[in-house]
Amino acid sequence: MPEALKSKLIRFAKVEQIKLVLQDLNCLSERLFVVEKHFHHMVAQAFALGATAVVSRPREIIFKLAQIEVAEKAALTDFAITSREIADGAAAFASMFSAAQGGKLINLSDAERATSEIIDSIVLNGLGAWLDDVRRYHEGTYQHCLLVTGVAVGFALDIGFSSLDVKQLGMAATLHDIGKARIPLSILDKPGRLDPAEDEIMRRHPVIGCELLKDTSGVSPEILDGVRHHHEYLDGSGYPDALTAPEISDLVRLLTISDIFAALIESRPYSPPISRQDAYKILCGMDGRLERTLVKAFRNVALVA
Ligand SMILES: [Fe+2]
Ligand SMILES: [Fe+2]
């Protein structure tokens, strides 16, 4: 909405005056109204005046504006956004993993494309639709990466991150397991538990991922930190560096919670998926290793979004 119109609306107290100003907006398909408090009568009046959506809190406003932007983009390009974005995301992961397997440089634009399409899809359709569709159509490592990025993005949006920070966490999530490209498939796709020797090899993937990305231009130190440390726990029991709480950044803490949750709810050919409720209970039982306040905040994402 133009700034001049916004301030006019704030000044006008009478409904008739507001109606006059709103005539200018008749050509718009989406009209977002902001009310001071989410009282029923205020919301009802906003809809009576022509609102297509009404919000009252800053977080809702940011989220709603992003939804409108993505919906407009989807209308212009005329595609079924969730399925196309899953296909694009999986293609970008395939491209990154095959580059890493073949010793080639990872193309950061693949990660950027996957991340921004996942953000668009979650803003438009919500996290639940993303999780259901990904689990329906994909298996293994790509499924895991698509789910972790979706969960991390949903988490960042829910706690009101700026769009830059949503993207930063999304990129860290997209790239977090890139080191698995160098882990033998017999270990990566083994149904059931890994033996200790296999587990030791698997545990190398954060360091491998960091090595693969450290010379790629455009990969920020925060993203490298996320890739290397997403298996660290606050009590020092994680790997590869056995970091403790003061050394673990907020981005890593959010990423670790998203990673564990996504791993728990994955659909696997050899075992039934764990429900989102049960997965959240497991996170709650990891007190001391995960930050309690963040796990509490994650409830909304795990059970509602
Ligand atoms: Fe990992
Ligand atoms: Fe992971």
Side-chain angles (χ1 to χ4, degrees), residues 25-292:
L25 296 178
N26 277 346
C27 55
L28 299 177
S29 58
E30 294 280 355
R31 292 176 296 277
L32 175 64
F33 277 45
V34 181
V35 292
E36 203 177 344
K37 295 236 163 69
H38 208 85
F39 293 140
H40 178 72
H41 69 278
M42 285 188 183
V43 174
Q45 194 172 46
F47 279 115
L49 284 166
T52 55
V54 179
V55 292
S56 61
R57 289 177 300 173
R59 202 168 76 190
E60 285 177 7
I61 295 165
I62 293 165
F63 192 72
K64 202 73 210 175
L65 285 173
Q67 268 187 334
I68 290 170
E69 197 182 309
V70 174
E72 280 170 353
K73 204 159 94 186
L76 281 175
T77 47
D78 191 26
F79 57 72
I81 202 157
T82 307
S83 54
R84 206 203 80 170
E85 283 170 354
I86 290 176
D88 280 1
F93 280 113
S95 166
M96 286 187 285
F97 272 74
S98 79
Q101 272 155 358
K104 294 184 194 137
L105 276 181
I106 292 158
N107 188 347
L108 206 60
S109 64
D110 283 331
E112 281 166 351
R113 195 176 79 236
T115 306
S116 73
E117 296 209 351
I118 292 170
I119 293 171
D120 283 357
S121 179
I122 286 166
V123 165
L124 187 64
N125 301 313
L127 179 61
W130 177 258
L131 298 181
D132 291 345
D133 283 356
V134 169
R135 287 184 293 181
R136 201 171 304 139
Y137 298 120
H138 288 277
E139 285 180 4
T141 307
Y142 298 157
Q143 179 194 184
H144 174 69
C145 293
L146 290 163
L147 290 178
V148 175
T149 307
V151 171
V153 163
F155 197 3
L157 288 169
D158 191 71
I159 56 181
F161 270 24
S162 69
S163 53
L164 251 172
D165 289 340
V166 172
K167 197 176 166 207
Q168 177 99 299
L169 180 60
M171 281 290 284
T174 293
L175 292 164
H176 83 287
D177 270 344
I178 192 71
K180 284 185 178 173
R182 297 280 179 88
I183 303 294
L185 281 179
S186 57
I187 295 177
L188 208 56
D189 292 338
K190 181 180 175 180
R193 275 190 180 280
L194 301 179
D195 67 34
E198 292 166 336
D199 193 45
E200 206 229 289
I201 294 169
M202 182 65 123
R203 282 170 171 248
R204 294 178 195 157
H205 77 268
V207 174
I208 296 171
C210 200
E211 286 298 311
L212 285 170
L213 292 168
K214 74 177 194 314
D215 296 324
T216 306
S217 75
V219 177
S220 66
E222 291 80 8
I223 292 173
L224 282 180
D225 184 32
V227 172
R228 186 174 176 109
H229 294 131
H230 65 274
H231 287 287
E232 301 285 358
Y233 291 132
L234 303 183
D235 63 1
S237 64
Y239 64 91
D241 299 318
L243 300 183
T244 54
E247 301 160 300
I248 301 176
S249 69
D250 287 342
L251 179 138
V252 169
R253 294 173 191 215
L254 290 161
L255 182 55
T256 302
I257 291 170
S258 306
D259 184 36
I260 297 169
F261 183 74
L264 289 168
I265 63 164
E266 263 167 48
S267 77
R268 299 159 203 253
Y270 50 88
S271 65
I274 295 178
S275 71
R276 288 168 73 176
Q277 286 78 2
D278 287 345
Y280 183 66
K281 273 186 212 151
I282 293 172
L283 285 181
C284 293
M286 294 178 72
D287 205 17
R289 284 183 281 173
L290 304 175
E291 187 179 322
R292 187 184 300 173

